[in-house]
């Protein structure tokens, strides 16, 4: 995929079935502004609509995944402006992407950067990664979902401590709190390499089943248990109408690898 149309991100295909999106504002530690999010949302939608792509990896640099929202863009805004224009609403477009999005976090993921990572489906972290919601130090609170997603993941007490003090936590703490799937090994670029390997593995499965699996896991945050179980069961039933279900089970019975056609 060409990167010539983007100024704030880089887009590539390290594997034929994987799109890698790299935040690319190095001088600003990948601070998130409106121009970056506009490009990011286009790149995400493009990958989501590409039938050859099975998973997406989102990353930044070794120093910073994203060090926060762009304060220079925000500091002079007035209430009427941010309220009437629903400022930050377009940040949520990532959560509407149907294919799995894996965050490969190296360095700082603070404020909006932490919120961006939390919007992804899986987070892998380098040993040097740092997570935090330091908005309180600027006289504001998280506005991109941090208070809601972080609390659901780490619990009220830890979320309160992080949000009320602005304290940054290490990759190992984030793993212990359940924020990240795992911390990868040492080495420059290792977190991206591991994320691409994971994305390639996911992309080798039936895209229909993968998207259904993502939908039912996300529903667990929104439905009570009986409703969630019913929804899961109906989605499970629905997959029996797909060719991939027939191929997957036939291949298992015949002791061979399945050849999924995403149909």
């Amino acid at each position: 995929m060409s990167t010539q149309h983007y100024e704030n991100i880089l887009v590539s295909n390290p594997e034929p079935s994987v799109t890698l999106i790299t935040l690319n504002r190095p001088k600003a530690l990948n601070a998130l502004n409106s121009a970056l999010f506009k490009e990011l949302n286009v790149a995400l939608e493009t990958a989501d609509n590409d039938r050859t792509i099975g998973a997406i990896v989102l990353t930044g640099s070794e120093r910073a995944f994203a060090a926060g929202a762009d304060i220079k863009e925000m500091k002079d805004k007035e209430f009427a402006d941010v309220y009437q224009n629903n400022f930050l609403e377009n940040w949520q477009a990532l959560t509407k992407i149907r294919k799995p999005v894996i965050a490969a976090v190296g360095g700082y993921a603070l404020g909006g950067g932490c919120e961006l990572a939390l919007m992804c489906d899986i987070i892998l972290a380098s040993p040097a990664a740092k997570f935090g919601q330091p908005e309180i130090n600027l006289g504001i609170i998280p506005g991109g979902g941090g208070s809601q997603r972080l609390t659901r993941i780490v619990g009220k007490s830890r979320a309160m401590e992080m949000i009320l003090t602005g304290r940054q936590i290490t990759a190992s703490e984030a793993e212990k709190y359940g924020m990240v799937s795992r911390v990868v090994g040492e080495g420059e670029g290792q977190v991206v390499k591991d994320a691409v390997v994971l994305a390639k593995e996911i992309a080798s499965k039936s895209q229909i089943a993968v998207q259904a699996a993502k939908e039912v896991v996300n529903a667990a945050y929104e439905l009570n248990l009986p409703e969630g179980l019913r929804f899961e069961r109906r989605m499970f039933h629905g997959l029996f109408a797909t060719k991939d279900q027939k191929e997957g089970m036939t291949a298992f019975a015949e002791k061979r690898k399945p050849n999924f056609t995403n149909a």
Side-chain angles (χ1 to χ4, degrees), residues 125-128 182-191 194:
S126 76
R182 56 188 161 92
V183 179
V184 305
E186 299 277 356
E188 183 173 351
Q190 189 61 47
V191 68
D194 282 16

Side-chain angles (χ1 to χ4, degrees), residues 53-76:
I53 299 300
I56 302 162
V57 174
L58 178 60
T59 193
S61 67
E62 291 289 319
R63 189 178 177 193
F65 175 74
D70 193 330
I71 305 305
K72 291 180 181 179
E73 180 184 49
M74 297 170 60
K75 67 182 182 65
D76 294 324

Side-chain angles (χ1 to χ4, degrees), residues 3 14 32 40 128 137 223 252:
T3 62
L32 305 170
L40 176 60
N137 297 324
L223 304 176
F252 179 83

Side-chain angles (χ1 to χ4, degrees), residues 18 29 40 48 51 70 75 79 91 100-101 106 116 120 124 134 158 175 183 186 202 210 220-221 223-224 250 256 260:
V18 177
L29 293 179
L40 176 60
D48 206 30
R51 290 180 61 86
D70 193 330
K75 67 182 182 65
F79 170 76
W91 285 31
V101 182
L116 180 62
C120 296
L124 300 187
R158 285 170 175 160
E175 183 179 34
V183 179
E186 299 277 356
I202 292 171
V210 167
Y221 282 93
L223 304 176
N224 62 39
T250 299
R256 60 175 175 83
F260 293 123

Side-chain angles (χ1 to χ4, degrees), residues 138-154:
L138 303 176
I140 57 172
I141 63 172
S147 67
Q148 304 305 298
R149 293 190 177 92
L150 187 65
T151 303
R152 283 168 167 76
I153 293 168
V154 306

Side-chain angles (χ1 to χ4, degrees), residues 55-180:
I56 302 162
V57 174
L58 178 60
T59 193
S61 67
E62 291 289 319
R63 189 178 177 193
F65 175 74
D70 193 330
I71 305 305
K72 291 180 181 179
E73 180 184 49
M74 297 170 60
K75 67 182 182 65
D76 294 324
K77 289 185 178 292
E78 299 288 345
F79 170 76
D81 176 20
V82 296
Y83 181 72
Q84 289 183 314
N85 291 300
N86 209 6
F87 184 52
L88 301 190
E89 192 276 335
N90 67 331
W91 285 31
Q92 308 301 317
L94 189 155
T95 64
K96 304 296 191 296
I97 299 300
R98 299 187 68 191
K99 293 173 182 175
V101 182
I102 302 168
V105 178
Y108 295 108
L110 305 177
C114 186
E115 291 171 318
L116 180 62
L118 291 174
M119 282 186 247
C120 296
D121 301 302
I122 300 171
I123 304 176
L124 300 187
S126 76
K130 293 285 185 68
F131 298 84
Q133 300 288 162
E135 290 89 348
I136 201 76
N137 297 324
L138 303 176
I140 57 172
I141 63 172
S147 67
Q148 304 305 298
R149 293 190 177 92
L150 187 65
T151 303
R152 283 168 167 76
I153 293 168
V154 306
K156 177 183 175 181
S157 183
R158 285 170 175 160
M160 280 288 191
E161 181 184 2
M162 290 177 66
I163 292 170
L164 297 184
T165 68
R167 183 174 80 86
Q168 298 176 23
I169 63 171
T170 65
S172 61
E173 285 179 293
E175 183 179 34
K176 182 174 73 174
Y177 293 175
M179 284 180 65
V180 307

